[in-house]
PDB file of all heavy atoms in Angstrom:
ATOM      1  N   CYS A  37      10.392   3.894  -0.510  1.00  0.00           N
ATOM      2  CA  CYS A  37      11.579   3.159  -0.987  1.00  0.00           C
ATOM      3  C   CYS A  37      12.123   3.848  -2.238  1.00  0.00           C
ATOM      4  O   CYS A  37      11.533   3.740  -3.289  1.00  0.00           O
ATOM      5  CB  CYS A  37      11.256   1.723  -1.314  1.00  0.00           C
ATOM      6  SG  CYS A  37      11.264   0.617   0.097  1.00  0.00           S
ATOM      7  N   CYS A 220      16.623  -1.031   4.202  1.00  0.00           N
ATOM      8  CA  CYS A 220      15.388  -0.272   4.415  1.00  0.00           C
ATOM      9  C   CYS A 220      14.835  -0.459   5.802  1.00  0.00           C
ATOM     10  O   CYS A 220      14.290   0.461   6.382  1.00  0.00           O
ATOM     11  CB  CYS A 220      14.362  -0.673   3.338  1.00  0.00           C
ATOM     12  SG  CYS A 220      14.573   0.332   1.838  1.00  0.00           S
ATOM     13  N   HIS A 246      11.190  -7.717  -1.469  1.00  0.00           N
ATOM     14  CA  HIS A 246      11.746  -6.618  -0.614  1.00  0.00           C
ATOM     15  C   HIS A 246      10.898  -6.269   0.584  1.00  0.00           C
ATOM     16  O   HIS A 246      11.423  -6.246   1.706  1.00  0.00           O
ATOM     17  CB  HIS A 246      12.011  -5.388  -1.520  1.00  0.00           C
ATOM     18  CG  HIS A 246      12.726  -4.289  -0.872  1.00  0.00           C
ATOM     19  ND1 HIS A 246      13.921  -4.438  -0.216  1.00  0.00           N
ATOM     20  CD2 HIS A 246      12.412  -2.942  -0.694  1.00  0.00           C
ATOM     21  CE1 HIS A 246      14.330  -3.260   0.277  1.00  0.00           C
ATOM     22  NE2 HIS A 246      13.420  -2.371   0.010  1.00  0.00           N
ATOM     23  N   HIS A 247       9.657  -5.943   0.368  1.00  0.00           N
ATOM     24  CA  HIS A 247       8.835  -5.511   1.493  1.00  0.00           C
ATOM     25  C   HIS A 247       8.440  -6.676   2.405  1.00  0.00           C
ATOM     26  O   HIS A 247       8.331  -6.443   3.630  1.00  0.00           O
ATOM     27  CB  HIS A 247       7.600  -4.780   0.990  1.00  0.00           C
ATOM     28  CG  HIS A 247       7.906  -3.454   0.379  1.00  0.00           C
ATOM     29  ND1 HIS A 247       7.105  -2.758  -0.485  1.00  0.00           N
ATOM     30  CD2 HIS A 247       9.024  -2.648   0.528  1.00  0.00           C
ATOM     31  CE1 HIS A 247       7.663  -1.655  -0.873  1.00  0.00           C
ATOM     32  NE2 HIS A 247       8.850  -1.572  -0.335  1.00  0.00           N
ATOM     33  N   GLU A 250      11.387  -6.845   4.616  1.00  0.00           N
ATOM     34  CA  GLU A 250      11.436  -5.740   5.554  1.00  0.00           C
ATOM     35  C   GLU A 250      10.539  -6.018   6.752  1.00  0.00           C
ATOM     36  O   GLU A 250      10.956  -5.772   7.900  1.00  0.00           O
ATOM     37  CB  GLU A 250      10.931  -4.440   4.828  1.00  0.00           C
ATOM     38  CG  GLU A 250      11.984  -3.661   4.071  1.00  0.00           C
ATOM     39  CD  GLU A 250      11.448  -2.342   3.628  1.00  0.00           C
ATOM     40  OE1 GLU A 250      10.889  -1.593   4.434  1.00  0.00           O
ATOM     41  OE2 GLU A 250      11.580  -2.021   2.405  1.00  0.00           O
TER      42      GLU A 250
HETATM   43 ZN1   ZN B 508      13.132  -0.364   0.454  1.00  0.00          ZN
END
Side-chain angles (χ1 to χ4, degrees):
C37 275
C220 273
H246 187 53
H247 291 159
E250 277 188 47

